[in-house]
């Protein structure tokens, strides 16, 4: 599967003997862009992610992203429909055909709430957050870490089911660092692949002899929860102002007094966002706490943060 691709005519492609029609561009990044395509036979929409592989390492990274998708069959992790590597003029592109989720990202939903001066009801927040935790637990249970968890990497379907996407930064959960050279390698990699305002403290100044593990994701998960509660990440403004995020993450997270969510949710947030990774909980504990809060959550609407 995934090794045959041909461009049959303008506006259509064929992957694994199935034709898809180009509809429109969806997104564009530094070395990748995403198109909306429609299946010729089934009439369904798909997201076609194209990754420009400018060298052998980039191709290996694209192959790794494909393999990460193939590892999982979980409702809260974006599946892979098909893939192919296309060679043209000495250049390679990796094409990943993914399900199209119309509602968009968690971030786009939070932005709309902020624009309306509203916020997410706690019951709905807990439902979405529980799904994020469930997907993350599946990743951790297989011995991997996502490494770039943030609201723009969480899709929401029409039923508000969250789906984790962008698995390109995933790698083995446990990284043993032996010496200053390895520490600098990990630190440089994190600077390139882990979004700064959601990056765990231990990735800013990697120690010469340490173990980096999946609890980097727990920190990012806390930042996502904070963003869901406050409609902006805890370090977004610090980064935008040009101040040091690396310095800010060493201090305990501050929850604004205006936050109207339950004490239980605030305690959970504080429990997750712990600067010392050794004191951070694992995803199983976090999911248990969320499910406990769900069982106690009021049905009332939260109108303002």
């Amino acid at each position: 599967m995934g090794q045959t691709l041909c461009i049959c005519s303008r506006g259509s492609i064929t992957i694994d003997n199935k034709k898809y029609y180009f509809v429109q561009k969806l997104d564009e990044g530094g070395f990748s862009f995403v198109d909306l395509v429609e299946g010729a036979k089934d009439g369904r929409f798909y997201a076609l992610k194209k990754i420009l592989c400018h060298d052998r390492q980039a191709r290996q990274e694209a192959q790794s992203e494909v393999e990460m998708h193939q590892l999982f069959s979980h409702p809260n992790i974006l599946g892979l429909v098909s893939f192919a590597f296309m060679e043209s003029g000495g250049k390679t592109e990796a094409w990943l055909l993914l399900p199209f989720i119309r509602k968009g990202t968690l971030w786009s939903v939070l932005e709309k709430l902020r624009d309306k001066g509203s916020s997410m009801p706690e019951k709905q927040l807990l439902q979405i957050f529980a799904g994020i935790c469930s997907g993350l637990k599946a990743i951790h249970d297989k011995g991997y870490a996502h490494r770039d968890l943030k609201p723009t990497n969480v899709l929401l379907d029409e039923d508000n089911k969250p789906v984790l996407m962008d698995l390109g930064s995933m790698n083995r959960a446990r990284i043993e660092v032996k010496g200053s050279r390895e520490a600098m390698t990990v630190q440089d990699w994190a600077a390139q692949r882990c979004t700064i305002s959601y990056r765990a403290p231990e990735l800013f100044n990697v120690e010469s002899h340490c173990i980096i593990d999946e609890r980097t994701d727990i920190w990012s998960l806390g930042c996502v929860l904070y963003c869901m509660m406050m409609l902006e990440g805890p370090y977004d403004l610090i980064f935008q102002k040009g101040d040091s995020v690396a310095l800010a993450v060493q201090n305990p997270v501050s929850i604004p007094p205006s936050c109207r969510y339950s004490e239980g949710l605030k305690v959970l947030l504080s429990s997750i966002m712990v600067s010392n990774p050794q004191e951070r909980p694992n995803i199983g504990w976090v999911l248990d706490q969320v499910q406990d809060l769900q069982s106690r959550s009021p049905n009332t609407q939260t109108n303002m943060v």
Side-chain angles (χ1 to χ4, degrees), residues 218-231:
I218 301 299
W219 176 270
S220 303
L221 182 69
C223 293
V224 170
L225 177 57
Y226 184 104
C227 191
M228 293 175 73
M229 294 167 68
M230 315 301 174
L231 305 182

Side-chain angles (χ1 to χ4, degrees), residues 30 40 98 108 131 153 164 202 291:
L98 305 159
S108 66
N153 279 342
L164 305 186
E202 61 270 26
Q291 290 169 342

Side-chain angles (χ1 to χ4, degrees), residues 71-72 74 77 132-146 164 170-174 213-215 217-218 282-288:
L71 268 179
F72 302 99
H74 191 279
I77 301 175
I132 295 171
C133 291
S134 182
L136 196 59
K137 186 174 187 298
I139 291 172
H140 290 184
D141 285 349
K142 283 192 179 287
Y144 288 88
H146 186 284
L164 305 186
M170 275 181 59
N171 55 18
R172 296 298 303 184
R174 185 184 173 93
D213 63 22
E214 68 276 9
R215 282 173 289 189
D217 283 346
I218 301 299
N282 61 37
I283 190 60
W285 182 89
V286 176
L287 187 54
D288 286 345

Side-chain angles (χ1 to χ4, degrees), residues 117-184:
S118 184
S119 65
M120 191 177 290
E122 184 158 329
K123 185 176 182 180
Q124 182 185 15
L125 185 154
L126 286 169
Q127 174 201 340
I128 294 171
F129 192 65
I132 295 171
C133 291
S134 182
L136 196 59
K137 186 174 187 298
I139 291 172
H140 290 184
D141 285 349
K142 283 192 179 287
Y144 288 88
H146 186 284
R147 305 289 190 213
D148 198 23
L149 187 63
K150 55 184 177 180
T152 52
N153 279 342
V154 178
L155 294 166
L156 290 180
D157 71 7
E158 294 303 319
D159 297 320
N160 282 324
K161 181 186 76 176
V163 181
L164 305 186
M165 67 171 223
D166 200 351
L167 310 186
S169 295
M170 275 181 59
N171 55 18
R172 296 298 303 184
R174 185 184 173 93
I175 301 171
E176 191 169 354
V177 178
K178 300 175 182 176
S180 57
R181 182 176 294 181
E182 288 186 15
M184 189 54 64

